[in-house]
Amino acid sequence: KTRPHAPPPADAHVASSMASSTTAEEFVTIMNASLTYRGLPLFLSGANQAWNNYGKDFGNTPTKRSKCELQSYVSRLSAAGGNCMRIWLFTEGASIPNFDAHGKVTALDATGTLIADLREYLQYAAHANVFVIISLWNGAVMTQNATKALFSDMEKLQSFFDNALTPLVSQLATEPALAAWEIMNEPEGSVAIAPDS
C-alpha cells in the first residue's frame, strides 16, 4: 500500500518528512518553554479528531475500513496545511485496556494489536508530515466503574502503569510523529461537584 505525499506542515521550515527520522533531533522537544523540532521553533496547528469509532479506534484488531478512515482524516488535515492531529485512545475504558474480574488492568487489548495499530497510524501521520497528540482518557464522561477505580485504588492504578501505559510509551518512543501524551480530556467532567460543609 502506498502512502500519499502531502505538503509540508504549516511551519514550512520544520520538516519535509518525518518518515525516515532516526536521531534524537527528529522528535518534538521543549526548549526554553517552547516546542521545537529539529532545533527550530514548532507551532502545532491542526485538528481535534477525538475519535472515529469511540473507544475502539485502536486495539482488538480494528477493521481495514476503520484504519483507512483514520488515515483519511490525517491526509485531509495535511492537505489543508495542518501539522497536528489530536486523538483519544482509551476514552472511558469500555473496550481498552483489558481489565480482569478484580478491576486490574491485564493488557492493552484482548488481541494484542493496539501497539501495532497505533504505530501504523503514527507512521502514516509521519509520511503526511503530521504530528499526533494522544489523549489517554476522556474525563468529560466517565461511566466505567473499572476505569473510575484506577483513580482511587493505587494497586489498580499500578496495574495500568505496568500492563498498559509503560509498554505503550516505551514501544512507541521511537515514533517521531508522536508529539505528546495527554493524560485526560476535560478532567473536570469526572469530578463530582457537590456542597460540602
Side-chain angles (χ1 to χ4, degrees):
K1 169 166 108 173
T2 61
R3 300 179 192 274
H5 293 288
D11 281 1
H13 70 274
V14 171
S16 59
S17 176
M18 291 180 267
S20 61
S21 302
T22 57
T23 66
E25 293 79 27
E26 302 301 320
F27 299 94
V28 175
T29 58
I30 299 174
M31 184 181 298
N32 299 325
S34 295
L35 294 177
T36 64
Y37 180 70
R38 294 185 174 171
L40 298 170
L42 173 65
F43 180 78
L44 297 177
S45 175
N48 177 39
Q49 181 179 1
W51 71 87
N52 181 51
N53 188 4
Y54 189 74
K56 298 177 181 177
D57 285 324
F58 304 100
N60 296 322
T61 316
T63 66
K64 184 175 180 179
R65 177 180 177 181
S66 179
K67 288 181 180 184
C68 289
E69 287 174 355
L70 288 173
Q71 292 173 356
S72 173
Y73 284 110
V74 171
S75 292
R76 288 182 283 161
L77 172 76
S78 180
N83 71 353
C84 185
M85 182 71 82
R86 177 177 177 257
I87 193 162
W88 298 357
L89 184 57
F90 300 117
T91 63
E92 297 175 51
S95 299
I96 55 172
N98 260 24
F99 291 92
D100 66 15
H102 305 290
K104 290 185 180 179
V105 174
T106 59
L108 284 163
D109 65 314
T111 62
T113 65
L114 190 142
I115 289 174
D117 297 338
L118 254 178
R119 180 174 282 117
E120 182 179 352
Y121 178 77
L122 290 168
Q123 290 177 353
Y124 187 90
H127 280 280
N129 297 315
V130 171
F131 292 103
V132 176
I133 297 172
I134 298 173
S135 185
L136 298 176
W137 301 100
N138 178 21
V141 180
M142 194 62 73
T143 61
Q144 302 297 312
N145 289 331
T147 302
K148 291 179 190 178
L150 294 178
F151 306 112
S152 59
D153 186 317
M154 291 309 296
E155 192 174 347
K156 291 175 181 176
L157 180 60
Q158 191 63 49
S159 73
F160 171 70
F161 290 157
D162 294 341
N163 300 315
L165 190 60
T166 299
L168 182 68
V169 171
S170 62
Q171 291 190 45
L172 295 177
T174 58
E175 296 301 330
L178 180 56
W181 295 99
E182 178 184 5
I183 296 171
M184 185 179 286
N185 172 68
E186 298 182 17
E188 69 279 7
S190 61
V191 177
I193 306 297
D196 187 328
S197 58

